[in-house]
Each structure stands twice: as C-alpha cells, then as structure tokens.
Amino acid sequence: MGNSLKTPSECFEFILPPCVIVSIKTGDTTSAGLHNTAYLQLTDQLGHESEEILLQGCSLTVFKKGHTDAFRITKLPFNFGTVKKVKLFRKETKQNIVEWYVEKIEIRYHKIAGPEGLLVFPCNRWLRNDKAIVLRLYDSCLPQLDEDSYQRDAELFSKRAKYRYCQGISGLPPRLKKFPKNEVFSTNFKWDISLRRDKLFARYNLVSFEKIPWHDFYEFDGIYRTLGEPMSKNFWMDDIYFGRQRLAGCNPTVIKLCTEIPPGFRVTPSHVYPFLEGLSLDAALKSLRLFIVDYSIFEKADVDSERAVISPYALFFLNKKRDLVPVAIQLFARRKENNPVFVPSDPIYTWTIAKMWFNNADAGYHRACAHLGFSHLLLESVAIATHRQLSPSHPIYRLLASYIQYVIPINSFETNQLIAYDGWLDNATNLGVSGIISVFQEMWPSWRLDHQGCLPQDLKDRGVLDLKILPDYPYRDDGLLMHTAIENHVRRIVEKNYFNDVIYLTEDFEMQAWANDLVETDPLLGCNIKIQGPRSKVQGSRSKVQGSGIPVNLPQYDEYGYSPNYPTLLVGEPPCDTRWRDKHDVLRHLPTKDLCLQSYDPIALKSGELFLKDLKDAAITVIHRNLLRKYPYDYLNPCSSKN
C-alpha cells in the first residue's frame, strides 16, 4: 500500500556503478571548437584521483563552438568523494599549437537533482595541446591562498603580453594596443554599425530617405509605422518635458543646483521674474529653487567643420507643482553681441528653436562624455587593467567578468567606427569627431572615481542629493536603489573572500597591482584614473561605475528617435534675436532627411540584469513610483534591464 510503480531502469539502479555527468561548454569565440579528443581527471576533497578519462564523441568535431557536450563518467574509484578539482588536458604532440576555448565545466552527480547536486568549474580559458588546465570548484581564490600558483602566474604573464596599453589619442584614457584572440566573439557582427543599420532597414521595411529637406512634421510618421513612436514625439515642445530631460533623459548627470549666476550668463531679474511665481531672482536662488546646466566648456571645442557649435547656459525653476521648467536659455557663453537670453514668453517657435539648439549641445555632451568617454573609453582601460593584473581565478575578476566581457570588442568594432574621421559622428553631429574628442579631453582631467564615478558623491557635489531640494529626480531616486544593491552585493563578496581582515587585502598582490594600474598616470602603464585616499579604495569604488552606462544608453531611442526633440545635427546659424518665427523656420534647422535618419541608433544597448533579491525590491519600488509619475522613468528598473 502506497508503493509507486518504478520503471525497469529504476528497479536496477542499486546495481549500477556510481557515476557523474560532466558537461563541457565550448566558448562562442572564433576558432574555439576542437576537432579531436581531450582528457579529464577528477580529484575529490581527500585527494583521491580518478583515472585519465577520455572525452570522445561520435563525430569529428566533438566540441563545437558555442555548444555543450555531456559525458557520463563511471570509471571512478570506490568511495570517491565530492569533486574539488578538475584537470583538463590533451595528449597531442603536433608541432602546430591548436587551442580550444572552454567556458566552463559542470559536474552533476547521478540521482541528485537540484542545485545541491551541481558543481561548477568556471574556466574561460584557451586550452593548448601542450598545456593542461587545473580548475578548482567555482575557480575563485585569492592568489596568496592558491595551491596552483604556477599556473596562475603563467596565465598572467601571458595575458600581460596580449593586453597592452597604448596612448591612442593624447589626453584620453589609454586604449588596447592590439586586439587579442580572446575577444573575438562570433557575435561581433552585432557591433558593426553599418551592417546593423542595413539589417534594421530590411527587417522593419524602413523608408530610405533622400537628401531632401523636411516640409512638415507629419513626414516623420513614415519612420515609426513599424518601430513605434518615441515618447518624445508627443511632448517635445512641452517645457515640462524639456525640464524632465535633465532629470530622466539621455544626459541626467549634468544638472546642478544654481547658487549664483555664472559671469557669462547675462540673465537679469527682469528676464525671469514672470516665471518665478512671484519670487525675485535673488529670492529664487536663496530658496534653492533654481538649477542650471552649463555647457560653456564647448567654447574650447576644437571643431574642424563649418557647422555651428554653441556653448549654452540653461536656467531651470522648480515650480509649486514640483515640475522643473526652463526659464532662460543663452546659446553662447562669451559672445557679447547677437546673443540674447531666450525666455518662455518669446514667440513659441523662437523659444522652440532655442530649446532645440540647447538640446543639440546636450546631445553633443552626451556623445562625447557620458556615452563615449565615461562609458566606453574609461571601461576599456579598466578592462585592460583587469585582464593584466587579476587572474581569471581571482574573486574580483569573477565579479567584474560579466561587466567587462564585451567592452573591448564593442569598442574595437563599434566605437572605432563611431570616432573615425568622415564616419558617423563626423557627418551627423555638429561637433564632429575632433570636437567630441576635444570636449572629452577637457573633461577627463577633472573626472574622479570617488566623485563623478560614485553616484551619491556626484549627486552631493551637484547639490541635488537632497529630496527636499529636488523632489522628483528619477535618475537619482532609482539610481541610488541600484547603487545600494550593487554595493551590498560587492561588500558581501569582498567580506567573504577577504574574511573581514584587511591583512588578506594587503597581502593580495594581484589586487594591489590592479589598483596601481588603475591610478598609474603613465598611459603606457595604467589607466590614469584619479581617486583620493589609499589605492585599495579603488576596489570598493569600482562597483559604483558599473551601472553608469544604463541611464545614458537605454533612453536613446525615446530621445534621439525624433530629430526635432534631441537633434545631433542642426544646420544654419543659431538664432541671434527673439523675433517671431514659424514652424518652417524650425524645419529649416533640421538636416536633410537622409542625415536625420542616421542621427540615432534605434537598437538600445541591453544592460543590467536581475542578480540579487535587492534588485527585485528596487524594481517593485520603481514600479510604484512610476504609477505616481507624469512621465514614467523605467530605464533604471531592474525588471526592464537585460545584461
């Protein structure tokens, strides 16, 4: 009574020999597969070793690129314990070196289901026919505690030869000197911009426009029949939405509390009094209700084209409805003549054109600094330092691996195309390549990892950390949730691996070498990242940079997708007076239709992933906040971010 029926195989399981299932995943890299056999040897927690196990399939290519091959292993010693070490090797003696990229090895015990029966041995290494690889369980160990130090040292010696710094452009973070084989993924075609654009046109049947001007705004509708309309299309002329772009757009890291008007900004009390709800300019400053975006640094931009480049100021006011609205825009920082202060009471299309030109500068800063400089180029130098100084077995390397995995191939395939002269940025932006590079060259020397690279400190420096001063700031509110989740995650890993003892950190020579690389000022030896205090602080601060690419990447389609809203390129001269204008004047500032369609990348980069329970809690909070917001801000919601 109560006995369940068993299958014939289950009836005889007690006489079957003990076995484990070994799964080996070959990496998705060029020439990663193996056209021959390999051998495996297992070691348990007591040091008992299995025989050399031949891994052989029924086809010539056993280990295909990107595939997982499983093997049933029964040749184990009697009472063989839990596997703690795996040795993977080959026995070929050919003079030609053949390499095989192994991503990971998983071992599951027969009859044991669930995660407790799964042992993971991460590899992420190339196996040569003349060298064996020894992997420990979870392959995460501090260097001073590693029993296989010879293999570890040999790996780092080899990687330092492959990952070398070079000074690509003076005044920028160092780049990778030569693209190594380790970074050649079969998915690299995804970052070929021209190929991606052609596939996008074919997939969505997009209209290919000619070099003709725009005559009306409805002509944009043909672009969005299959892609869907960007959110900005319906609100781009709204002042509240314009203010919202400083808090939740592509570039939410620039706005700061205004405590005094810059000398070059010639706004007067009479300019803004009608828009300050009865407050004088001084009273609004003292009550901490004015905010400013200052792009006067564009005066130093080295522009080699005839396109107009502005260096604007914009003043914003927090009204009683808690909306941030623009109250004054000046398009040039130092020009004394023909440089009016535009205000919301100007003719509507005149005011709209002033906002378009300001957003053109904002898009230029986004391309130069927030996106290219502080996301792509900075992380490439950090990735080089990580590969050079941290063994793949180091717990901090394991922590960072998923974040830096595609940084170098993306930069080599996509970023190099972007910043090429006569390339996309050169032809579809007012700054051009030389202007974008020169703007970042001006910003890079003052960038600090413990200030701009640390979200809470950056918000504090800009005077916008306090919710009482700026109540609704989605980038800050949701970003701090992510920051806390990441910081807690990093702290738990660091405390566990270093046993809450600073001595282990001090004796970790790989970590100390990594920190030295990050702050080294010589571009041929390190990253030249500035940070105050002990170099070991770099470890804690590094985690704070990781989420920085999400809010400057994901909103791109909503902002750039409608050219009048966030134009990367405007033609003609910026307005130099406040006279009346109509919508045709607005359209005349837009480039021809073919260039407008090239001014945005409709495929948003996928970033972030749910990796902790803290992120689930953050997601719930963000969803609740969005129900109360006029314009939902979902770019830092963990549920909508994929890595």
Side-chain angles (χ1 to χ4, degrees), residues 214-217 236-237 346-354 356-357 564 575 577-590:
W214 300 92
H215 297 98
D216 209 318
F217 292 112
W236 72 282
M237 293 182 66
D346 290 337
I348 183 169
Y349 286 112
T350 303
W351 176 238
T352 297
I353 292 174
M356 281 175 56
W357 275 96
D577 57 59
T578 59
R579 63 179 173 82
W580 185 87
R581 291 170 172 83
D582 60 22
K583 71 175 183 179
H584 297 291
D585 293 302
V586 176
L587 292 167
R588 275 193 285 271
H589 283 283
L590 296 177

mmCIF file of all heavy atoms in Angstrom, residues 214-217 236-237 346-354 356-357 564 575 577-590:
data_model
loop_
_atom_site.group_PDB
_atom_site.id
_atom_site.type_symbol
_atom_site.label_atom_id
_atom_site.label_comp_id
_atom_site.label_asym_id
_atom_site.label_seq_id
_atom_site.Cartn_x
_atom_site.Cartn_y
_atom_site.Cartn_z
ATOM 1 N N TRP A 214 12.962 68.764 -45.003
ATOM 2 C CA TRP A 214 11.646 68.485 -44.430
ATOM 3 C C TRP A 214 10.713 69.657 -44.721
ATOM 4 O O TRP A 214 11.107 70.812 -44.664
ATOM 5 C CB TRP A 214 11.752 68.283 -42.920
ATOM 6 C CG TRP A 214 12.633 67.142 -42.524
ATOM 7 C CD1 TRP A 214 13.959 67.199 -42.233
ATOM 8 C CD2 TRP A 214 12.250 65.772 -42.385
ATOM 9 N NE1 TRP A 214 14.445 65.957 -41.919
ATOM 10 C CE2 TRP A 214 13.420 65.055 -42.000
ATOM 11 C CE3 TRP A 214 11.063 65.076 -42.539
ATOM 12 C CZ2 TRP A 214 13.416 63.683 -41.772
ATOM 13 C CZ3 TRP A 214 11.048 63.710 -42.317
ATOM 14 C CH2 TRP A 214 12.213 63.025 -41.940
ATOM 15 N N HIS A 215 9.451 69.325 -45.000
ATOM 16 C CA HIS A 215 8.456 70.366 -45.257
ATOM 17 C C HIS A 215 7.387 70.420 -44.179
ATOM 18 O O HIS A 215 6.713 71.440 -44.026
ATOM 19 C CB HIS A 215 7.800 70.154 -46.627
ATOM 20 C CG HIS A 215 8.771 70.251 -47.774
ATOM 21 N ND1 HIS A 215 9.336 69.136 -48.362
ATOM 22 C CD2 HIS A 215 9.300 71.330 -48.405
ATOM 23 C CE1 HIS A 215 10.163 69.514 -49.334
ATOM 24 N NE2 HIS A 215 10.168 70.838 -49.380
ATOM 25 N N ASP A 216 7.218 69.338 -43.454
ATOM 26 C CA ASP A 216 6.224 69.321 -42.380
ATOM 27 C C ASP A 216 6.571 68.209 -41.403
ATOM 28 O O ASP A 216 7.265 67.236 -41.753
ATOM 29 C CB ASP A 216 4.813 69.105 -42.929
ATOM 30 C CG ASP A 216 3.759 69.762 -42.042
ATOM 31 O OD1 ASP A 216 3.890 69.649 -40.804
ATOM 32 O OD2 ASP A 216 2.827 70.394 -42.575
ATOM 33 N N PHE A 217 6.081 68.350 -40.177
ATOM 34 C CA PHE A 217 6.412 67.373 -39.133
ATOM 35 C C PHE A 217 5.748 66.013 -39.379
ATOM 36 O O PHE A 217 6.254 64.988 -38.918
ATOM 37 C CB PHE A 217 5.999 67.918 -37.761
ATOM 38 C CG PHE A 217 6.810 69.102 -37.321
ATOM 39 C CD1 PHE A 217 6.231 70.372 -37.228
ATOM 40 C CD2 PHE A 217 8.149 68.970 -37.026
ATOM 41 C CE1 PHE A 217 6.988 71.463 -36.830
ATOM 42 C CE2 PHE A 217 8.913 70.059 -36.632
ATOM 43 C CZ PHE A 217 8.328 71.308 -36.540
ATOM 44 N N TRP A 236 7.682 66.948 -27.296
ATOM 45 C CA TRP A 236 8.971 67.607 -27.490
ATOM 46 C C TRP A 236 8.910 69.121 -27.359
ATOM 47 O O TRP A 236 9.913 69.757 -27.043
ATOM 48 C CB TRP A 236 9.565 67.208 -28.831
ATOM 49 C CG TRP A 236 8.878 67.791 -30.030
ATOM 50 C CD1 TRP A 236 7.715 67.371 -30.589
ATOM 51 C CD2 TRP A 236 9.337 68.888 -30.823
ATOM 52 N NE1 TRP A 236 7.399 68.120 -31.667
ATOM 53 C CE2 TRP A 236 8.385 69.060 -31.849
ATOM 54 C CE3 TRP A 236 10.437 69.724 -30.776
ATOM 55 C CZ2 TRP A 236 8.504 70.059 -32.813
ATOM 56 C CZ3 TRP A 236 10.567 70.712 -31.730
ATOM 57 C CH2 TRP A 236 9.612 70.875 -32.727
ATOM 58 N N MET A 237 7.741 69.748 -27.573
ATOM 59 C CA MET A 237 7.636 71.203 -27.434
ATOM 60 C C MET A 237 7.207 71.629 -26.035
ATOM 61 O O MET A 237 7.169 72.824 -25.733
ATOM 62 C CB MET A 237 6.652 71.754 -28.469
ATOM 63 C CG MET A 237 7.137 71.630 -29.909
ATOM 64 S SD MET A 237 5.983 72.327 -31.118
ATOM 65 C CE MET A 237 6.055 74.074 -30.699
ATOM 66 N N ASP A 346 8.854 84.329 -25.214
ATOM 67 C CA ASP A 346 9.184 84.626 -26.607
ATOM 68 C C ASP A 346 8.207 83.897 -27.525
ATOM 69 O O ASP A 346 7.535 82.943 -27.103
ATOM 70 C CB ASP A 346 10.622 84.180 -26.913
ATOM 71 C CG ASP A 346 11.661 85.044 -26.219
ATOM 72 O OD1 ASP A 346 11.338 86.205 -25.880
ATOM 73 O OD2 ASP A 346 12.789 84.556 -25.996
ATOM 74 N N PRO A 347 8.107 84.306 -28.798
ATOM 75 C CA PRO A 347 7.241 83.567 -29.732
ATOM 76 C C PRO A 347 7.534 82.073 -29.669
ATOM 77 O O PRO A 347 8.689 81.653 -29.561
ATOM 78 C CB PRO A 347 7.613 84.157 -31.093
ATOM 79 C CG PRO A 347 8.059 85.549 -30.774
ATOM 80 C CD PRO A 347 8.751 85.471 -29.453
ATOM 81 N N ILE A 348 6.487 81.265 -29.738
ATOM 82 C CA ILE A 348 6.600 79.843 -29.408
ATOM 83 C C ILE A 348 7.644 79.123 -30.253
ATOM 84 O O ILE A 348 8.438 78.310 -29.725
ATOM 85 C CB ILE A 348 5.220 79.144 -29.540
ATOM 86 C CG1 ILE A 348 5.358 77.670 -29.117
ATOM 87 C CG2 ILE A 348 4.648 79.292 -30.932
ATOM 88 C CD1 ILE A 348 4.028 76.965 -28.962
ATOM 89 N N TYR A 349 7.704 79.415 -31.541
ATOM 90 C CA TYR A 349 8.680 78.711 -32.372
ATOM 91 C C TYR A 349 10.090 79.278 -32.181
ATOM 92 O O TYR A 349 11.080 78.560 -32.374
ATOM 93 C CB TYR A 349 8.258 78.755 -33.836
ATOM 94 C CG TYR A 349 7.093 77.833 -34.132
ATOM 95 C CD1 TYR A 349 5.838 78.342 -34.484
ATOM 96 C CD2 TYR A 349 7.239 76.456 -34.051
ATOM 97 C CE1 TYR A 349 4.763 77.492 -34.744
ATOM 98 C CE2 TYR A 349 6.176 75.598 -34.302
ATOM 99 C CZ TYR A 349 4.934 76.123 -34.648
ATOM 100 O OH TYR A 349 3.888 75.274 -34.889
ATOM 101 N N THR A 350 10.200 80.528 -31.810
ATOM 102 C CA THR A 350 11.511 81.087 -31.463
ATOM 103 C C THR A 350 12.060 80.393 -30.218
ATOM 104 O O THR A 350 13.231 79.989 -30.168
ATOM 105 C CB THR A 350 11.396 82.595 -31.225
ATOM 106 O OG1 THR A 350 10.861 83.219 -32.390
ATOM 107 C CG2 THR A 350 12.756 83.207 -30.899
ATOM 108 N N TRP A 351 11.208 80.250 -29.210
ATOM 109 C CA TRP A 351 11.568 79.550 -27.976
ATOM 110 C C TRP A 351 11.887 78.079 -28.268
ATOM 111 O O TRP A 351 12.842 77.512 -27.730
ATOM 112 C CB TRP A 351 10.441 79.683 -26.972
ATOM 113 C CG TRP A 351 10.566 78.951 -25.668
ATOM 114 C CD1 TRP A 351 9.712 78.024 -25.169
ATOM 115 C CD2 TRP A 351 11.604 79.100 -24.679
ATOM 116 N NE1 TRP A 351 10.125 77.572 -23.945
ATOM 117 C CE2 TRP A 351 11.289 78.224 -23.613
ATOM 118 C CE3 TRP A 351 12.750 79.864 -24.589
ATOM 119 C CZ2 TRP A 351 12.088 78.092 -22.481
ATOM 120 C CZ3 TRP A 351 13.544 79.746 -23.453
ATOM 121 C CH2 TRP A 351 13.219 78.877 -22.417
ATOM 122 N N THR A 352 11.100 77.474 -29.173
ATOM 123 C CA THR A 352 11.335 76.076 -29.536
ATOM 124 C C THR A 352 12.688 75.901 -30.206
ATOM 125 O O THR A 352 13.427 74.943 -29.921
ATOM 126 C CB THR A 352 10.216 75.576 -30.464
ATOM 127 O OG1 THR A 352 8.958 75.624 -29.763
ATOM 128 C CG2 THR A 352 10.488 74.146 -30.923
ATOM 129 N N ILE A 353 13.046 76.811 -31.100
ATOM 130 C CA ILE A 353 14.343 76.719 -31.780
ATOM 131 C C ILE A 353 15.483 76.869 -30.772
ATOM 132 O O ILE A 353 16.497 76.166 -30.846
ATOM 133 C CB ILE A 353 14.441 77.781 -32.897
ATOM 134 C CG1 ILE A 353 13.479 77.448 -34.024
ATOM 135 C CG2 ILE A 353 15.873 77.854 -33.432
ATOM 136 C CD1 ILE A 353 13.387 78.515 -35.102
ATOM 137 N N ALA A 354 15.333 77.772 -29.804
ATOM 138 C CA ALA A 354 16.358 77.932 -28.770
ATOM 139 C C ALA A 354 16.527 76.633 -27.977
ATOM 140 O O ALA A 354 17.660 76.212 -27.670
ATOM 141 C CB ALA A 354 15.990 79.083 -27.839
ATOM 142 N N MET A 356 15.821 73.611 -29.099
ATOM 143 C CA MET A 356 16.429 72.629 -29.997
ATOM 144 C C MET A 356 17.945 72.785 -30.028
ATOM 145 O O MET A 356 18.683 71.794 -29.975
ATOM 146 C CB MET A 356 15.867 72.790 -31.412
ATOM 147 C CG MET A 356 14.498 72.172 -31.633
ATOM 148 S SD MET A 356 13.862 72.533 -33.296
ATOM 149 C CE MET A 356 15.176 71.900 -34.327
ATOM 150 N N TRP A 357 18.412 74.020 -30.122
ATOM 151 C CA TRP A 357 19.859 74.235 -30.170
ATOM 152 C C TRP A 357 20.511 73.855 -28.844
ATOM 153 O O TRP A 357 21.609 73.301 -28.813
ATOM 154 C CB TRP A 357 20.180 75.684 -30.538
ATOM 155 C CG TRP A 357 20.187 75.888 -32.025
ATOM 156 C CD1 TRP A 357 19.163 76.345 -32.808
ATOM 157 C CD2 TRP A 357 21.270 75.596 -32.917
ATOM 158 N NE1 TRP A 357 19.536 76.368 -34.126
ATOM 159 C CE2 TRP A 357 20.832 75.913 -34.232
ATOM 160 C CE3 TRP A 357 22.556 75.106 -32.752
ATOM 161 C CZ2 TRP A 357 21.645 75.762 -35.350
ATOM 162 C CZ3 TRP A 357 23.375 74.948 -33.871
ATOM 163 C CH2 TRP A 357 22.912 75.263 -35.142
ATOM 164 N N PRO A 564 13.609 66.472 -34.142
ATOM 165 C CA PRO A 564 13.387 67.813 -33.582
ATOM 166 C C PRO A 564 13.534 67.865 -32.064
ATOM 167 O O PRO A 564 13.820 68.918 -31.500
ATOM 168 C CB PRO A 564 11.951 68.130 -34.009
ATOM 169 C CG PRO A 564 11.710 67.289 -35.215
ATOM 170 C CD PRO A 564 12.469 66.021 -34.955
ATOM 171 N N PRO A 575 19.723 81.031 -33.642
ATOM 172 C CA PRO A 575 19.015 82.321 -33.609
ATOM 173 C C PRO A 575 19.801 83.366 -32.814
ATOM 174 O O PRO A 575 20.345 83.073 -31.752
ATOM 175 C CB PRO A 575 17.695 81.976 -32.938
ATOM 176 C CG PRO A 575 17.966 80.733 -32.157
ATOM 177 C CD PRO A 575 18.992 79.975 -32.941
ATOM 178 N N ASP A 577 18.333 86.543 -32.321
ATOM 179 C CA ASP A 577 17.352 87.529 -31.867
ATOM 180 C C ASP A 577 16.090 86.780 -31.473
ATOM 181 O O ASP A 577 15.960 85.578 -31.690
ATOM 182 C CB ASP A 577 17.074 88.561 -32.954
ATOM 183 C CG ASP A 577 16.602 87.939 -34.256
ATOM 184 O OD1 ASP A 577 15.568 87.238 -34.249
ATOM 185 O OD2 ASP A 577 17.297 88.129 -35.292
ATOM 186 N N THR A 578 15.150 87.479 -30.916
ATOM 187 C CA THR A 578 13.924 86.862 -30.395
ATOM 188 C C THR A 578 12.709 87.178 -31.261
ATOM 189 O O THR A 578 11.571 87.112 -30.788
ATOM 190 C CB THR A 578 13.668 87.323 -28.960
ATOM 191 O OG1 THR A 578 13.537 88.759 -28.946
ATOM 192 C CG2 THR A 578 14.792 86.903 -28.037
ATOM 193 N N ARG A 579 12.922 87.518 -32.525
ATOM 194 C CA ARG A 579 11.796 87.844 -33.402
ATOM 195 C C ARG A 579 10.893 86.632 -33.627
ATOM 196 O O ARG A 579 11.273 85.486 -33.370
ATOM 197 C CB ARG A 579 12.312 88.380 -34.730
ATOM 198 C CG ARG A 579 13.133 87.395 -35.531
ATOM 199 C CD ARG A 579 13.603 87.973 -36.851
ATOM 200 N NE ARG A 579 14.528 87.077 -37.537
ATOM 201 C CZ ARG A 579 14.152 86.049 -38.280
ATOM 202 N NH1 ARG A 579 12.868 85.762 -38.418
ATOM 203 N NH2 ARG A 579 15.055 85.293 -38.895
ATOM 204 N N TRP A 580 9.733 86.895 -34.198
ATOM 205 C CA TRP A 580 8.744 85.851 -34.444
ATOM 206 C C TRP A 580 9.233 84.900 -35.528
ATOM 207 O O TRP A 580 9.805 85.311 -36.535
ATOM 208 C CB TRP A 580 7.418 86.499 -34.877
ATOM 209 C CG TRP A 580 6.296 85.503 -35.033
ATOM 210 C CD1 TRP A 580 5.444 85.067 -34.068
ATOM 211 C CD2 TRP A 580 5.926 84.850 -36.252
ATOM 212 N NE1 TRP A 580 4.562 84.168 -34.591
ATOM 213 C CE2 TRP A 580 4.835 84.007 -35.947
ATOM 214 C CE3 TRP A 580 6.417 84.881 -37.559
ATOM 215 C CZ2 TRP A 580 4.208 83.221 -36.891
ATOM 216 C CZ3 TRP A 580 5.806 84.086 -38.512
ATOM 217 C CH2 TRP A 580 4.702 83.256 -38.175
ATOM 218 N N ARG A 581 8.986 83.611 -35.330
ATOM 219 C CA ARG A 581 9.312 82.582 -36.305
ATOM 220 C C ARG A 581 8.171 81.591 -36.390
ATOM 221 O O ARG A 581 7.367 81.457 -35.464
ATOM 222 C CB ARG A 581 10.622 81.859 -35.926
ATOM 223 C CG ARG A 581 11.872 82.741 -36.060
ATOM 224 C CD ARG A 581 13.090 82.065 -35.447
ATOM 225 N NE ARG A 581 14.330 82.791 -35.717
ATOM 226 C CZ ARG A 581 14.763 83.823 -35.012
ATOM 227 N NH1 ARG A 581 14.041 84.269 -33.982
ATOM 228 N NH2 ARG A 581 15.896 84.417 -35.318
ATOM 229 N N ASP A 582 8.121 80.829 -37.508
ATOM 230 C CA ASP A 582 7.065 79.820 -37.668
ATOM 231 C C ASP A 582 7.682 78.428 -37.749
ATOM 232 O O ASP A 582 8.902 78.256 -37.657
ATOM 233 C CB ASP A 582 6.202 80.122 -38.897
ATOM 234 C CG ASP A 582 7.011 80.128 -40.201
ATOM 235 O OD1 ASP A 582 8.097 79.514 -40.213
ATOM 236 O OD2 ASP A 582 6.559 80.746 -41.182
ATOM 237 N N LYS A 583 6.821 77.427 -37.957
ATOM 238 C CA LYS A 583 7.302 76.044 -37.924
ATOM 239 C C LYS A 583 8.264 75.745 -39.072
ATOM 240 O O LYS A 583 9.120 74.862 -38.969
ATOM 241 C CB LYS A 583 6.133 75.065 -37.941
ATOM 242 C CG LYS A 583 5.380 74.981 -39.256
ATOM 243 C CD LYS A 583 4.322 73.886 -39.185
ATOM 244 C CE LYS A 583 3.608 73.738 -40.535
ATOM 245 N NZ LYS A 583 2.588 72.659 -40.478
ATOM 246 N N HIS A 584 8.142 76.476 -40.173
ATOM 247 C CA HIS A 584 9.057 76.237 -41.287
ATOM 248 C C HIS A 584 10.478 76.666 -40.926
ATOM 249 O O HIS A 584 11.449 76.084 -41.422
ATOM 250 C CB HIS A 584 8.552 76.970 -42.527
ATOM 251 C CG HIS A 584 7.216 76.483 -42.998
ATOM 252 N ND1 HIS A 584 7.029 75.235 -43.561
ATOM 253 C CD2 HIS A 584 5.977 77.071 -42.966
ATOM 254 C CE1 HIS A 584 5.751 75.067 -43.872
ATOM 255 N NE2 HIS A 584 5.088 76.171 -43.520
ATOM 256 N N ASP A 585 10.599 77.664 -40.052
ATOM 257 C CA ASP A 585 11.924 78.043 -39.570
ATOM 258 C C ASP A 585 12.521 76.928 -38.722
ATOM 259 O O ASP A 585 13.737 76.686 -38.743
ATOM 260 C CB ASP A 585 11.842 79.340 -38.765
ATOM 261 C CG ASP A 585 11.463 80.530 -39.634
ATOM 262 O OD1 ASP A 585 12.191 80.797 -40.606
ATOM 263 O OD2 ASP A 585 10.439 81.173 -39.342
ATOM 264 N N VAL A 586 11.663 76.255 -37.968
ATOM 265 C CA VAL A 586 12.137 75.114 -37.172
ATOM 266 C C VAL A 586 12.655 74.021 -38.097
ATOM 267 O O VAL A 586 13.755 73.479 -37.905
ATOM 268 C CB VAL A 586 11.003 74.564 -36.279
ATOM 269 C CG1 VAL A 586 11.474 73.324 -35.521
ATOM 270 C CG2 VAL A 586 10.515 75.625 -35.312
ATOM 271 N N LEU A 587 11.880 73.694 -39.122
ATOM 272 C CA LEU A 587 12.269 72.624 -40.042
ATOM 273 C C LEU A 587 13.530 72.965 -40.820
ATOM 274 O O LEU A 587 14.311 72.074 -41.183
ATOM 275 C CB LEU A 587 11.119 72.334 -41.005
ATOM 276 C CG LEU A 587 9.872 71.691 -40.370
ATOM 277 C CD1 LEU A 587 8.690 71.734 -41.329
ATOM 278 C CD2 LEU A 587 10.162 70.256 -39.965
ATOM 279 N N ARG A 588 13.766 74.258 -41.071
ATOM 280 C CA ARG A 588 14.956 74.641 -41.826
ATOM 281 C C ARG A 588 16.245 74.393 -41.047
ATOM 282 O O ARG A 588 17.328 74.301 -41.640
ATOM 283 C CB ARG A 588 14.862 76.112 -42.244
ATOM 284 C CG ARG A 588 14.076 76.323 -43.538
ATOM 285 C CD ARG A 588 14.272 77.734 -44.064
ATOM 286 N NE ARG A 588 13.517 78.703 -43.292
ATOM 287 C CZ ARG A 588 12.259 79.058 -43.569
ATOM 288 N NH1 ARG A 588 11.619 78.526 -44.604
ATOM 289 N NH2 ARG A 588 11.642 79.949 -42.825
ATOM 290 N N HIS A 589 16.140 74.282 -39.730
ATOM 291 C CA HIS A 589 17.330 73.986 -38.923
ATOM 292 C C HIS A 589 17.660 72.496 -38.905
ATOM 293 O O HIS A 589 18.754 72.117 -38.478
ATOM 294 C CB HIS A 589 17.134 74.482 -37.492
ATOM 295 C CG HIS A 589 17.308 75.952 -37.336
ATOM 296 N ND1 HIS A 589 18.543 76.553 -37.302
ATOM 297 C CD2 HIS A 589 16.387 76.950 -37.221
ATOM 298 C CE1 HIS A 589 18.377 77.862 -37.149
ATOM 299 N NE2 HIS A 589 17.089 78.126 -37.100
ATOM 300 N N LEU A 590 16.721 71.646 -39.345
ATOM 301 C CA LEU A 590 16.980 70.208 -39.372
ATOM 302 C C LEU A 590 17.774 69.857 -40.627
ATOM 303 O O LEU A 590 17.576 70.452 -41.685
ATOM 304 C CB LEU A 590 15.668 69.426 -39.367
ATOM 305 C CG LEU A 590 14.795 69.564 -38.117
ATOM 306 C CD1 LEU A 590 13.502 68.775 -38.302
ATOM 307 C CD2 LEU A 590 15.528 69.081 -36.882
#
